[in-house]
Amino acid sequence: MTNWRKAMEVFNMHVDGVASAHNDARTQLEAFQNQRQSVSHLLQAQGRGMEVAYRTRLMTTLDVTRFLLKQGLPFRGHEESLSSSNKGNFLELIEWYTQRNDEVAKTMNENAPGNNQMKSPTVQKDLTRACVAEVTNVILNDIKDNIFSLMVDECRDILIKEQMGVVLRYVNKHGCVIERFLAIVHVSDTSAISLKKTIDELFAKHKLSLSRLRGQGYDGASNMRGEYNGLKALILKENSFARYAHCFAHQLQLVVVAVAKSNRIVSDFFQYVTMIVNITVFENVYDDDTNDDNSGIATSLIDKMESYEFMFVMHLMKSLLGITNELSHALQQKDQNIVLAVSLIKTMKDRLQKLREEGWENFLDVVNKLCSNHMIPVPNMEENMRTRGRSRRNGQMITNFHHYRVEIFCQVLDTMVQEMNNRFLESSTEVLTCIACLDPKDSFSQFDISKLLHLAELFPKDFSLTDRVILEDQLETYIQNVRVATASVERVFSAMKIIKTDLRNRMGDEWMNDSLVVYIEKDIFAIIENEQILQHFQQMNTHRIQLSPFVVLKWHHQVIAASTIPNMKLCDAGTGRAKTASSPHSASLLNYIRSPSMASVTPLASA
């Protein structure tokens, strides 16, 4: 164009009408420059909508999972088809949730892709595994690199499968003694080698070092406490400072069991008692002529109950169990007083010895009166009787006095005293006795610096020679609030009976372990945020939709959740202006959040 005075006229001719090529090109350019109308933006917006719906479905599933785990309830139903009237706890709770929450209803069931319902058994187990992982992480982070003790016990579940429960005991940063359930593991057999291998694998899995172990606590079985080949010995070979302390409650139980097994007459007594308990209506059975077998059994048991020997043994066992009763109750307390336990053990030994040496005459009078009151014949103690277990021809004649006084009374008491001395040795309670010096009751009346110094000598790896030199002076000022407690891993198996029932007997070992960890450690599980579990769940497997990482920010004691999408809009309540930051971790964002005018943080995608 050579005539610029006609430029506007020429431009207007070029632009032409609304449908001209120029206007069409301009419209397409403006649309290209408008990101909200671009294909990438539309796809991104659709993706964000799918992610929001996915997160809602996943959060709903997690809420139901957490409820069932906390209550120790089964997930699956016997019939989970659409036509079933009871699909099981999990699906029924999902349905209940959906009917009462419109936002959830918009993303679940028919409103969700058929291949992304987030309700399958695999999703249930993965979410549970994520819950367990987060609970276990809290425990391990609490222990960190500190020393700890190990408590182990084995038991058979409802399917007669051997399970080994593992509990860790440690002192947290606040100085409190903590016990945490780590895992329950199926073992092929209960040999010491097999148990030790399982513990090594469990420690390796959780990055726990055996060198930091300072205590072991098991039951009294030979595979556990054997001096040469037991689990205790195998661990001591690798770590000589992992001192063994036998559970007092187990020891007392084993004392009573040993007494019941060592004396044939006492053993027979308990077998008869078991039969008597199982057949509770003797007179009705005896009078019923329709079943000769039951009538015969009832007659025999009634005759046995009305014998002098039965009454004698019954009263003896009643006396012995009465002596052990207070100690038994004290040892089963969750928070045991070591000083009291040691004192009760000594008292019990003294009472048994006194009964053995001085209690015969009074004991015999009580039994004779009891039998007379129930019209049971009392034998003459000077008369002879034939020893049992031999034929009449070869049988040896002994007096009734010898039978009852020596073969029952003295033998049972001697066995019990011997078992008490063997199982409650002073050497085996040495560490506990020293620790008991820190009991704060009665103004630390048990405090003994010499015993505490000896305790330090037992652990030279933790107390160097220099430490021990200055320890005496330090102990003078270290009489503060110290609490000593013991507990039993037996509680794990009580919980196992709740989780793995007759109706849930097919649950796998991993599923049972996951359910138990969360059920037992409810206090930790309650403080774990859903978002931690969801992110762990997302990282376990590849999913069709990946959630954006989530950051939880706190401002003025209020929780502000912000998705880590590259750009974020920060809404200032004071000015109403929007502020964008490149990352929620940036210093400018954190400084802005700390400002008084900061009221909310919202993802740019939801703005």
Side-chain angles (χ1 to χ4, degrees):
M1 183 178 67
T2 57
N3 191 350
W4 286 100
R5 287 178 297 178
K6 296 183 178 181
M8 295 303 299
E9 181 180 348
V10 175
F11 287 155
N12 289 333
M13 291 176 60
H14 173 73
V15 171
D16 202 6
V18 176
S20 67
H22 174 85
N23 282 325
D24 181 60
R26 179 180 58 81
T27 301
Q28 292 187 38
L29 175 62
E30 291 175 351
F32 176 78
Q33 292 175 336
N34 184 354
Q35 292 297 313
R36 287 191 174 275
Q37 295 183 11
S38 66
V39 174
S40 61
H41 174 78
L42 293 176
L43 291 176
Q44 185 179 5
Q46 184 180 10
R48 285 197 293 270
M50 292 174 62
E51 179 180 337
V52 171
Y54 174 72
R55 177 182 289 278
T56 301
R57 284 195 300 276
L58 193 54
M59 192 69 74
T60 301
T61 303
L62 177 57
D63 284 343
V64 172
T65 299
R66 292 186 72 139
F67 175 82
L68 295 177
L69 289 174
K70 185 177 179 181
Q71 300 301 319
L73 296 173
F75 280 54
R76 304 293 301 279
H78 293 292
E79 174 57 54
E80 296 186 342
S81 64
L82 293 176
S83 60
S84 174
S85 59
N86 186 353
K87 303 179 181 66
N89 291 332
F90 181 84
L91 293 179
E92 291 293 336
L93 274 174
I94 290 287
E95 187 64 28
W96 179 88
Y97 204 157
T98 302
Q99 292 174 359
R100 284 159 179 78
N101 190 305
D102 293 338
E103 292 300 320
V104 172
K106 293 177 182 178
T107 64
M108 298 294 291
N109 300 327
E110 65 275 3
N111 294 325
N115 58 0
N116 197 10
Q117 292 281 326
M118 304 310 295
K119 298 188 296 186
S120 69
T122 300
V123 170
Q124 298 172 31
K125 291 184 177 181
D126 284 351
L127 279 174
T128 300
R129 199 171 299 121
C131 292
V132 174
E134 292 301 321
V135 170
T136 304
N137 286 339
V138 171
I139 297 173
L140 298 176
N141 290 334
D142 199 25
I143 298 177
K144 293 185 178 178
D145 294 328
N146 296 324
I147 59 177
F148 60 93
S149 295
L150 172 69
M151 293 186 290
V152 173
D153 201 0
E154 1 101 24
C155 178
R156 292 183 177 182
D157 61 24
I158 193 68
L159 285 184
I160 321 298
K161 294 175 64 176
E162 292 288 351
Q163 304 288 351
M164 182 179 74
V166 179
V167 171
L168 301 182
R169 180 181 173 89
Y170 59 96
V171 178
N172 66 7
K173 61 183 179 181
H174 302 295
C176 298
V177 177
I178 303 295
E179 290 179 358
R180 293 300 184 191
F181 173 58
L182 184 64
I184 188 166
V185 188
H186 169 58
V187 288
S188 56
D189 62 81
T190 57
S191 66
I193 295 177
S194 177
L195 297 179
K196 175 62 166 56
K197 179 183 177 182
T198 303
I199 290 174
D200 288 341
E201 292 173 351
L202 193 63
F203 274 31
K205 174 183 177 181
H206 296 297
K207 299 180 181 179
L208 291 169
S209 173
L210 193 66
S211 64
R212 291 189 279 133
L213 192 63
R214 290 297 179 270
Q216 313 177 59
Y218 318 124
D219 64 18
S222 59
N223 62 332
M224 293 292 202
R225 67 182 185 94
E227 293 296 326
Y228 302 104
N229 297 316
L231 177 60
K232 174 192 76 172
L234 295 179
I235 290 181
L236 284 173
K237 288 179 182 178
E238 295 186 32
N239 181 358
S240 59
F241 302 113
R243 291 191 166 263
Y244 171 74
H246 189 175
C247 170
F248 278 9
H250 269 124
Q251 292 187 78
L252 181 61
Q253 178 189 20
L254 292 172
V255 167
V256 177
V257 170
V259 171
K261 289 183 176 180
S262 63
N263 187 286
R264 180 181 54 80
I265 298 172
V266 175
S267 177
D268 291 345
F269 166 80
F270 280 109
Q271 290 185 17
Y272 283 121
V273 168
T274 302
M275 295 172 66
I276 290 169
V277 171
N278 291 334
I279 304 178
T280 59
V281 284
F282 294 112
E283 292 187 0
N284 293 341
V285 174
Y286 178 79
D287 295 335
D288 185 5
D289 295 332
T290 60
N291 192 323
D292 293 336
D293 293 338
N294 288 340
S295 179
I297 294 174
T299 302
S300 299
L301 290 177
I302 290 174
D303 290 342
K304 177 59 65 176
M305 289 176 62
E306 294 178 348
S307 69
Y308 182 84
E309 184 176 271
F310 186 90
M311 298 296 288
F312 184 94
V313 176
M314 181 179 69
H315 186 63
L316 177 60
M317 296 313 300
K318 177 179 178 294
S319 300
L320 295 182
L321 294 176
I323 292 174
T324 63
N325 184 58
E326 187 177 357
L327 175 61
S328 177
H329 281 294
L331 297 180
Q332 293 182 51
Q333 297 297 319
K334 184 176 181 180
D335 296 326
Q336 293 179 12
N337 185 314
I338 297 175
V339 178
L340 175 62
V342 174
S343 175
L344 288 175
I345 290 171
K346 184 178 184 304
T347 301
M348 179 179 160
K349 290 180 180 179
D350 293 341
R351 290 185 62 187
L352 290 172
Q353 193 63 39
K354 184 176 181 180
L355 178 62
R356 164 70 167 80
E357 297 174 355
E358 306 174 9
W360 166 251
E361 296 294 340
N362 182 64
F363 176 84
L364 188 63
D365 287 343
V366 173
V367 174
N368 290 344
K369 289 179 181 178
L370 184 64
C371 289
S372 297
N373 292 337
H374 291 82
M375 296 181 290
I376 297 175
V378 177
N380 185 338
M381 289 295 160
E382 301 302 323
E383 292 182 355
N384 289 334
M385 63 173 292
R386 194 177 301 278
T387 56
R388 298 185 178 184
R390 295 175 179 269
S391 65
R392 289 185 176 273
R393 180 183 303 173
N394 299 324
Q396 180 182 356
M397 299 300 293
I398 61 172
T399 63
N400 287 324
F401 175 83
H402 180 87
H403 174 65
Y404 289 104
R405 174 76 167 89
V406 178
E407 293 186 342
I408 301 179
F409 185 81
C410 289
Q411 187 182 112
V412 168
L413 284 171
D414 288 344
T415 301
M416 195 155 191
V417 170
Q418 182 180 356
E419 287 292 327
M420 287 292 297
N421 289 331
N422 290 341
R423 295 187 180 277
F424 292 96
L425 293 170
E426 291 186 6
S427 58
S428 66
T429 59
E430 181 181 25
V431 176
L432 296 178
T433 304
C434 292
I435 293 176
C437 296
L438 298 172
D439 188 355
K441 293 185 178 179
D442 299 327
S443 299
F444 290 89
S445 60
Q446 301 295 324
F447 189 77
D448 189 328
I449 291 181
S450 62
K451 289 185 177 180
L452 292 174
L453 292 175
H454 177 61
L455 179 64
E457 293 173 357
L458 297 177
F459 297 95
K461 188 174 182 179
D462 302 305
F463 296 91
S464 65
L465 181 60
T466 303
D467 292 334
R468 297 198 294 272
V469 169
I470 63 175
L471 184 59
E472 184 172 0
D473 292 330
Q474 292 177 334
L475 286 173
E476 294 289 351
T477 60
Y478 189 69
I479 308 178
Q480 301 295 332
N481 295 327
V482 179
R483 179 171 175 268
V484 179
T486 60
S488 173
V489 72
E490 286 286 343
R491 292 194 297 273
V492 171
F493 298 117
S494 297
M496 183 175 70
K497 294 177 182 179
I498 297 174
I499 298 299
K500 191 168 186 177
T501 63
D502 290 331
L503 296 178
R504 303 178 73 187
N505 57 25
R506 296 181 62 187
M507 68 190 310
D509 297 325
E510 186 176 17
W511 179 241
M512 181 174 70
N513 173 75
D514 294 346
S515 300
L516 272 173
V517 170
V518 177
Y519 179 75
I520 293 173
E521 300 299 345
K522 292 186 181 75
D523 56 335
I524 294 180
F525 187 41
I527 64 174
I528 296 177
E529 298 288 343
N530 277 355
E531 195 60 38
Q532 291 177 250
I533 299 172
L534 293 185
Q535 293 299 332
H536 191 107
F537 169 81
Q538 287 292 123
Q539 296 169 11
M540 292 170 62
N541 296 300
T542 301
H543 299 275
R544 291 181 175 84
I545 298 178
Q546 288 296 319
L547 295 177
S548 301
F550 218 73
V551 176
V552 176
L553 304 173
K554 290 186 177 180
W555 177 73
H556 283 219
H557 305 292
Q558 294 181 347
V559 176
I560 305 168
S563 176
T564 56
I565 296 173
N567 293 315
M568 297 178 61
K569 178 182 288 185
L570 310 179
C571 301
D572 191 322
T575 63
R577 299 175 182 175
K579 180 169 182 174
T580 302
S582 59
S583 169
H585 299 287
S586 67
S588 59
L589 173 61
L590 295 178
N591 290 332
Y592 190 75
I593 290 174
R594 295 189 187 102
S595 65
S597 63
M598 182 61 197
S600 64
V601 180
T602 58
L604 179 62
S606 62

